[in-house]
Amino acid sequence: MLNAIPLPAVLTLAAALFCIGLFGALSRRNLIGVLMGVELMLNAVNINLVAFWRYFEPRYITGQTFAIFIIAVAAAEAAVGLAMVIAVYRHYVTVNADEVDQLRG
């Protein structure tokens, strides 16, 4: 029961999640949708780290440590990203990335 799900299945799931996040980040015009795509990509990386940790070195906690670090980075990225979206909305009254084409107003 140690390895109930094979490693290629977990890596396929993580690759699919990463591709969905990449598509969402590149195809969205809404800035919040772009942030959601980036969060999906970071979660796919977490799945990869924990899967490799579980299947290759379960004695050490390196995979879990990196995953917790990525979760902290994702939380900081979400906070800063949402603050930037709010600032853009207050200045341009839109969250459409195509309409925000200059750095100074």
Side-chain angles (χ1 to χ4, degrees), residues 31-76:
L31 293 174
I32 295 174
V34 172
L35 286 174
M36 289 174 56
V38 171
E39 292 293 327
L40 278 175
M41 290 189 292
L42 288 172
N43 284 332
V45 171
N46 277 340
I47 290 173
N48 276 335
L49 286 172
V50 172
F52 281 123
W53 162 78
R54 179 76 171 104
Y55 283 93
F56 293 122
E57 287 296 332
R59 296 176 298 179
Y60 307 115
I61 59 168
T62 53
Q64 291 174 335
T65 304
F66 282 124
I68 290 173
F69 179 73
I70 290 176
I71 289 170
V73 168

Side-chain angles (χ1 to χ4, degrees), residues 6-37:
L7 182 61
V10 176
L11 296 180
T12 303
L13 171 72
L17 189 62
F18 189 86
C19 290
I20 291 169
L22 183 65
F23 178 75
L26 294 178
S27 67
R28 298 281 179 183
R29 293 182 184 200
N30 189 342
L31 293 174
I32 295 174
V34 172
L35 286 174
M36 289 174 56

